[in-house]
C-alpha cells in the first residue's frame, strides 16, 4: 500500500502531466489557427504593396502570431516560408516594428533557419532529383531548392535588421548569426545567396569601428576568406566586386586598431591583381588606397614592384577619378619606405608628378605635393637637388593662389626644410623659397610659414643668406605686423623669436 508521501508524489505528477497536455493542446490550437490564417498572409502580398513599399498593416499581436507560424514543430513548409517572406517585407519598417520582431523571438528563428542541422530536425531534406519521386513513407519532405529559398529570405530579413541601430546588430551577433552565415556561404554554390550573406555580414562589419569585437569575430570565423573567394570566383561582376573590396578595406584598416599583418598578406595580393584588369573603377582604387593607409611595415610586406609600377602608370589615366586615388595610394606606400619609393621613382614617378604640376586642375597639383611630401628623407635630396621638379613646383606656386594648392605647397616646403640638409635648403634659397614663404605670411598660412623660416634659420650654413633675403623683402617687419599674440611667437622657435 502506498504511503501518503507516495500518493502526493503521484498526484503532483498527474497535475504536471495535465498542465503539459493543456499547454500542448493550446499550442496545437494556435498552430491550426496559423494554418487557417495562412491564406490571410497572402492578402498583403499584392503587386501594389511591392511597388509602393508600404509598411505592412500589422500590429504587435499579429507579429507575435507570425512568430507562431514560424515554429517548425507545428507548421508546414509553406506556412513558414510565407511567414518569413512577410517578415522580410515588414523589416523595411520603422525601429518600432523591429522591436516587435525582436520581442516576438523572430530573429532567433531567422538565425536558426540558416543552420541545415536545425531544419533537418523537422523536415526531411532531399535533393531536387529525389524530391520529385513520390514516396508516401517519407513525411515533411522539402527539396534543397526549397531550403535555399527559405534561407535566402531569412538572410534578406537579417540584412534589413542589421541596417538599423548598433543595438540590433549586437542582438543578431549574440544569436550566433556570424558563424552560421559564413558556414552558409561556404556550403552554398549559389552566387546570389553568397552575395546576400556577405551583405548581411557587412552590416556587422560596418559597425566594427564602434565595437572592435565585431571585427575580431568576423576575422576569427573566416569572413576575409569568403570575401577573397568571392572576388576570385566572380571577377566579372564589377559592381559587386567594388562592394566586396570596400568591405575588405573597412575590415582591415578603418578601425581604431589595424588588423594583424597576416590578414593584409592575404588581401592585398588578391586586390593587387585586380589593378591589372582592363576595367577598373575609381571606387576600387579608393578602397585600395584606404587599405594601404596603414603602417609602412605592412605595406613593405605585401606591396610588390608590379603593383607600384601599375599605380604609377595609372597617374596617366584619362580619368581624374582614377588618377587621384592612385596618387593617394602611392603616397601611402612611399611614406618612410625607401625601397618602394625607389621602385616608384624608377617607374617614372617624377615625370608623372611634373605633368600634375603643369596641369590646369588644382586637384592634381595638390596631389603632386602629397606625393613629393611622402618621399623619405634619405631620397629627398636626389629629388630636390638633382631633378627639375623643384623649380617646377616653385614656379607653379607663384601663379596659383588656389586654396586647394597652397596648403600642400607650404606643407611640402616645411617638410623639405625640416628633414633636408643644408644642400637642400641652399638650393631652395637659390630658387627664391624665402620670397614664397614671405607671400604666405597671412592668417591662414602664418604658422606653417613661420615654422619653416625658423627651421631654415637654425641651419648654420644657410642662416646668413636667409637673413639677408628676409631683410631685403622686409620679412621681419611683416611678421611683426601679422603676429597678434605672444603664444604664436613662442611656437615659432627661439631663433626667429630672438630676431624679432
Amino acid at each position: 500500500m502506498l504511503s501518503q508521501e507516495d500518493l502526493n508524489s503521484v498526484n503532483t505528477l498527474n497535475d504536471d502531466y495535465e498542465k503539459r497536455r493543456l499547454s500542448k493542446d493550446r499550442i496545437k490550437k494556435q498552430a491550426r489557427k496559423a494554418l487557417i490564417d495562412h491564406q490571410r498572409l497572402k492578402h498583403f502580398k499584392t503587386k501594389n504593396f511591392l511597388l509602393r513599399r508600404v509598411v505592412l498593416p500589422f500590429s504587435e499581436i499579429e507579429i507575435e502570431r507570425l512568430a507562431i507560424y514560424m515554429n517548425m514543430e507545428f507548421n508546414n513548409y509553406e506556412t513558414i516560408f510565407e511567414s518569413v517572406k512577410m517578415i522580410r517585407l515588414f523589416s523595411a519598417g520603422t525601429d518600432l516594428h523591429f522591436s516587435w520582431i525582436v520581442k516576438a523571438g523572430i530573429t532567433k528563428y531567422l538565425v536558426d533557419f540558416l543552420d541545415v542541422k536545425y531544419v533537418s530536425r523537422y523536415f526531411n531534406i532531399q535533393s531536387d532529383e529525389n524530391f520529385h519521386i513520390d514516396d508516401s513513407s517519407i513525411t515533411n519532405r522539402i527539396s534543397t531548392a526549397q531550403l535555399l529559398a527559405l534561407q535566402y529570405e531569412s538572410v534578406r530579413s537579417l540584412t534589413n535588421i542589421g541596417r538599423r541601430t548598433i543595438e540590433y546588430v549586437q542582438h543578431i551577433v549574440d544569436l550566433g548569426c556570424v558563424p552560421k552565415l559564413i558556414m552558409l556561404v561556404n556550403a552554398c554554390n549559389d552566387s546570389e545567396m553568397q552575395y546576400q550573406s556577405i551583405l548581411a555580414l557587412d552590416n556587422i562589419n560596418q559597425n566594427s569601428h564602434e565595437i572592435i569585437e565585431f571585427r575580431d569575430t568576423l576575422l576569427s570565423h573566416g569572413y576575409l576568406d569568403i570575401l577573397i573567394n568571392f572576388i576570385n570566383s566572380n571577377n566579372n561582376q564589377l559592381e559587386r566586386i567594388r562592394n566586396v573590396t570596400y568591405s575588405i578595406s573597412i575590415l582591415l584598416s578603418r578601425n581604431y586598431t589595424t588588423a594583424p599583418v597576416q590578414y593584409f598578406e592575404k588581401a592585398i595580393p588578391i586586390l593587387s591583381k585586380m589593378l591589372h584588369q582592363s576595367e577598373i573603377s575609381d571606387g576600387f582604387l579608393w578602397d585600395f588606397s584606404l587599405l594601404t593607409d596603414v603602417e609602412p611595415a605592412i605595406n613593405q610586406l605585401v606591396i610588390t614592384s608590379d603593383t607600384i609600377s601599375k599605380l604609377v602608370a595609372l597617374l596617366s589615366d584619362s580619368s581624374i577619378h582614377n588618377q587621384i586615388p592612385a596618387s593617394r595610394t602611392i603616397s601611402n606606400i612611399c611614406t618612410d619606405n625607401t625601397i618602394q619609393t625607389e621602385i616608384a621613382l624608377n617607374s617614372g614617378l617624377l615625370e608623372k608628378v611634373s605633368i600634375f604640376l603643369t596641369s590646369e586642375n588644382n586637384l592634381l597639383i595638390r596631389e603632386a605635393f602629397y606625393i613629393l611630401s611622402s618621399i623619405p628623407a634619405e631620397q629627398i635630396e636626389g629629388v630636390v637637388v638633382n631633378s627639375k621638379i623643384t623649380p617646377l613646383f616653385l614656379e607653379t606656386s607663384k601663379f596659383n593662389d588656389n586654396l586647394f594648392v597652397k596648403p600642400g605647397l607650404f606643407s611640402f616646403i616645411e617638410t623639405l626644410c625640416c628633414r633636408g640638409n643644408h644642400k637642400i635648403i641652399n638650393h631652395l634659397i637659390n630658387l627664391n623659397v624665402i620670397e614664397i614663404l614671405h607671400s604666405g605670411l597671412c592668417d591662414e598660412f602664418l604658422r606653417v610659414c613661420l615654422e619653416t623660416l625658423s627651421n631654415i634659420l637654425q641651419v648654420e650654413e644657410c642662416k646668413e643668406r636667409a637673413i639677408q633675403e628676409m631683410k631685403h623683402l622686409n620679412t621681419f617687419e611683416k611678421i611683426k605686423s601679422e603676429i597678434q599674440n605672444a603664444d604664436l611667437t613662442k611656437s615659432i622657435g627661439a631663433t626667429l623669436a630672438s630676431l624679432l
Side-chain angles (χ1 to χ4, degrees), residues 9 69 78 99 102 111 125 147 151 166 202 209 237 244 248 254 300 323 384 444 456-457 468 494:
S9 298
Y69 300 161
E78 289 73 17
S99 66
V102 172
V111 173
I125 305 170
L147 174 62
Q151 290 176 327
I166 195 168
D202 190 54
H209 66 284
Q237 302 183 37
V244 171
I248 293 177
R254 283 196 182 183
Q300 187 171 356
Q323 290 175 308
V384 173
E444 188 169 356
I456 292 174
L457 293 175
Q468 291 176 357

Side-chain angles (χ1 to χ4, degrees), residues 266-325:
K266 284 184 179 181
I268 291 184
I270 299 297
L271 300 182
S272 298
K273 293 179 181 179
M274 296 178 61
L275 289 172
H276 299 274
Q277 291 183 343
S278 57
E279 294 184 43
I280 186 170
S281 68
D282 60 307
F284 168 77
L285 289 172
W286 276 116
D287 295 337
F288 195 77
S289 71
L290 291 172
L291 204 58
T292 57
D293 189 15
V294 292
E295 292 88 345
I298 292 179
N299 283 332
Q300 187 171 356
L301 287 173
V302 294
I303 299 294
T304 64
S305 58
D306 288 342
T307 301
I308 298 173
S309 300
K310 178 60 179 180
L311 288 167
V312 172
L314 284 170
L315 297 180
S316 300
D317 195 89
S318 58
S319 172
I320 189 174
H321 300 294
N322 287 346
Q323 290 175 308
I324 292 179

